Amino acid sequence: HSTSLNHRGGFVVARYSRGVPDSADIYRDGNAVSHLDTHAFYLQDTYTRKRLTLNLGFRVDRQDDTSVAAEVPANPLFPQLMPAINFPGADAGVVWTDFSPRLGLTYDMTGDGQNILSASYSTYYGQMGPGELSGQLAATGAVFVRYPWADANADGFVQPGEVDTSGSFLSKSTAYNPDAPTATTSPTLVDPDVKNDRTREFIAGFDRQLNSTMAVGANYIWRRYDQFRWNDRFVADAAGNFLRDFTSADYRAVTFTPGTCASDARCEAVTYFEPTVRIPSTNIFTNVPDRYRNFNGVELTFQRRYANRWQMNASLALNDARDYWDSPNAYEDPTNVEQEHGAQYAPESGGSGVGDIFTNSRWLLKLSGRYTLPGDVNVAGFYNGRQGYPFPQFIQTPNRANGAGRDEVLLDRLGELRLDNLHMIDFRIDKVVRFGARSVTPTFEIFNLTNANTVLAINRNQAASNANTISGIVAPRVIRLGVQVRF
């Protein structure tokens, strides 16, 4: 059972473009209540014959959800746009039953356990979130609609008389239907054949024991991610049949050059796209055709177990993660497809309080070790290095026609322009002092030993007055003294 409540303070969000009042997002509270029912069965067996070991298994998951009846009050400032909702509940009628095979094998090449070949193949499916399918039918989720706003009294607050709702909206939530704001269900239908997202993985490796304390290894990893889902909006014909009938010709190419440009910014003309007809409210929640991601990686490892007063671990990972839209059916808005199709996959991280960080490194190097000095004083260090994350500079478009809202036009293929490489070193000294069964361990630690100030985030909007302003760097050098007591 899951209940999700959502409220925007003041029921409206004021939006500015380059410091000038631009538009207002008018919200209705969210009160989404869902049930999720899951069952799983897993079976595994191991077969060994001479030097070969096989691990065979499979997993079956059954996932089903329903959306429960709920009520949402009206937006008090704009009740005509966001009236109260009394949702009776709904069931999408779709149950995911996913079969996941697992196969692994190891082969002892020399029969002494010191040279091992291994390989595995697995299929993984995603976990359904509460209301992920049936919640698409509910009108009780938090929704918004965007209209032009002029701050007539210059107080920075949105009043109803300052919002122009006479024309077409600028943007809106998929689940909001401006033509039927009192509807108790959303304008979304759920494809009865919608499938769970899927990951297929193949790993092949070789591990060699060099002696009693040291070992090396190498692994190749391949993954493919597909069966992504979206709310497909350009699908309904006059008879209500859902068909793919969208091409890039449905969009109008427009060039946009900002009026002013910061001295260190890039302000070349860009091309973006917008629909020639109003974006339909009716949509269908389904899988994205011709859309997938590939990952290829190699990992090299070295391990030296603690012996003769020292130990060490090292690893090098070489990664290549790419995004693909193989046909016009895989997207609605062609903006940025040229910059992202076949380019690096770099999801924007969240939750840390610092935005504009896109995690993708083609190489990562880690090295750690410990040495025991005379007097049983332990000295340890850790090095972490990686390629700089992508720096996807963009120019923001104006509000596009027919409810398409704004977009961010990338100036380069994703992953081609990057921030500086990161190199971090941590250091530690400790000594265990024993008193019978008790022990005290004083520690001295230095994090970011070299006080590196590598940039992690920069304002990417090249049309902004503060373009390329640094917004995040790695944490500075920190020295920590501690005492650990065990008894």
Side-chain angles (χ1 to χ4, degrees):
H1 181 83
S2 171
T3 300
S4 177
L5 303 175
N6 190 288
H7 172 71
R8 291 295 198 283
F11 294 92
V12 65
V13 173
R15 295 174 55 87
Y16 292 79
S17 177
R18 307 176 74 179
V20 178
D22 173 80
S23 55
D25 287 349
I26 301 165
Y27 279 89
R28 181 168 57 209
D29 288 350
N31 179 22
V33 184
S34 302
H35 286 305
L36 176 63
D37 186 39
T38 64
H39 298 83
F41 174 78
Y42 185 74
L43 180 65
Q44 179 176 322
D45 194 14
T46 300
Y47 171 79
T48 301
R49 181 175 178 81
K50 296 182 179 180
R51 301 180 184 180
L52 178 67
T53 299
L54 292 177
N55 292 293
L56 305 174
F58 70 88
R59 178 186 177 105
V60 179
D61 289 272
R62 183 186 186 277
Q63 304 178 82
D64 185 19
D65 74 339
T66 56
S67 191
V68 182
E71 297 181 359
V72 180
N75 180 309
L77 299 178
F78 299 88
Q80 76 283 7
L81 297 176
M82 295 291 183
I85 293 296
N86 186 0
F87 174 60
D91 188 341
V94 177
V95 178
W96 283 342
T97 303
D98 299 313
F99 176 84
S100 308
R102 311 284 168 85
L103 170 64
L105 64 88
T106 59
Y107 182 72
D108 186 348
M109 298 177 63
T110 53
D112 55 6
Q114 296 188 8
N115 297 275
I116 304 296
L117 286 174
S118 61
S120 66
Y121 176 83
S122 302
T123 300
Y124 305 97
Y125 288 92
Q127 295 297 309
M128 181 187 293
E132 183 170 352
L133 297 180
S134 297
Q136 299 290 328
L137 307 175
T140 56
V143 294
F144 81 94
V145 62
R146 182 178 302 161
Y147 283 99
W149 166 57
D151 191 9
N153 57 7
D155 65 350
F157 292 91
V158 177
Q159 282 90 38
E162 298 174 340
V163 180
D164 181 9
T165 61
S166 62
S168 178
F169 60 87
L170 302 177
S171 184
K172 71 177 186 67
S173 299
T174 300
Y176 174 72
N177 185 356
D179 298 324
T182 60
T184 58
T185 57
S186 80
T188 300
L189 298 179
V190 176
D191 182 354
D193 296 320
V194 64
K195 298 179 177 60
N196 197 355
D197 58 277
R198 177 178 63 179
T199 301
R200 287 168 287 179
E201 177 185 78
F202 171 75
I203 300 176
F206 172 72
D207 292 281
R208 175 173 171 75
Q209 188 78 29
L210 300 178
N211 54 38
S212 61
T213 62
M214 290 189 291
V216 294
N219 286 289
Y220 165 74
I221 305 102
W222 171 88
R223 296 189 186 100
R224 171 166 286 196
Y225 307 84
D226 61 4
Q227 297 185 179
F228 306 121
R229 297 178 297 282
W230 66 348
N231 292 93
D232 196 354
R233 300 174 295 179
F234 293 87
V235 292
D237 62 11
N241 299 311
F242 290 93
L243 305 169
R244 289 301 304 170
D245 186 20
F246 179 84
T247 68
S248 59
D250 292 325
Y251 286 104
R252 176 170 57 88
V254 181
T255 57
F256 169 60
T257 304
T260 59
C261 187
S263 60
D264 61 343
R266 298 170 56 186
C267 292
E268 59 257 40
V270 296
T271 299
Y272 65 90
F273 298 83
E274 58 187 358
T276 58
V277 297
R278 175 176 153 177
I279 294 177
S281 294
T282 303
N283 64 92
I284 186 167
F285 187 70
T286 186
N287 295 110
V288 187
D290 304 327
R291 171 88 169 89
Y292 60 93
R293 294 199 307 268
N294 276 353
F295 174 84
N296 288 275
V298 174
E299 183 179 28
L300 307 176
T301 61
F302 171 81
Q303 293 179 325
R304 206 257 185 201
R305 292 190 292 273
Y306 184 79
N308 298 324
R309 308 179 72 86
W310 71 281
Q311 72 176 57
M312 187 175 72
N313 292 299
S315 66
L316 172 65
L318 305 175
N319 307 310
D320 186 47
R322 296 184 181 270
D323 236 340
Y324 294 95
W325 290 259
D326 270 358
S327 79
N329 291 329
Y331 53 85
E332 291 180 353
D333 186 349
T335 306
N336 290 326
V337 170
E338 182 178 347
Q339 291 89 336
E340 294 181 328
H341 173 59
Q344 291 294 302
Y345 172 66
E348 184 174 7
S349 63
S352 65
V354 179
D356 283 344
I357 297 179
F358 293 79
T359 54
N360 174 288
S361 293
R362 301 290 303 275
W363 61 266
L364 300 96
L365 178 62
K366 295 183 179 181
L367 177 64
S368 63
R370 176 166 68 104
Y371 184 78
T372 303
L373 297 170
D376 292 333
V377 176
N378 296 307
V379 178
F382 174 71
Y383 165 79
N384 181 23
R386 61 162 174 78
Q387 184 185 32
Y389 287 156
F391 178 37
Q393 296 177 324
F394 72 87
I395 288 179
Q396 189 177 61
T397 72
N399 284 307
R400 298 178 293 172
N402 295 309
R406 296 180 179 274
D407 204 352
E408 300 176 354
V409 183
L410 299 179
L411 302 182
D412 305 285
R413 284 178 61 79
L414 193 57
E416 289 185 352
L417 182 65
R418 291 179 177 267
L419 302 173
D420 292 338
N421 297 336
L422 174 69
H423 302 279
M424 292 279 288
I425 300 175
D426 298 333
F427 177 76
R428 174 187 170 104
I429 298 177
D430 67 71
K431 176 179 172 59
V432 179
V433 181
R434 303 187 185 278
F435 302 93
R438 302 175 177 85
S439 67
V440 176
T441 306
T443 62
F444 173 77
E445 296 172 285
I446 304 178
F447 302 95
N448 191 3
L449 178 66
T450 63
N451 202 30
N453 60 351
T454 309
V455 173
L456 297 180
I458 302 177
N459 183 4
R460 303 179 297 113
N461 187 356
Q462 300 299 291
S465 58
N466 61 342
N468 300 320
T469 300
I470 295 174
S471 59
I473 63 174
V474 297
R477 181 192 295 123
V478 174
I479 298 177
R480 183 171 69 186
L481 301 175
V483 176
Q484 184 181 67
V485 180
R486 293 185 178 181
F487 55 89

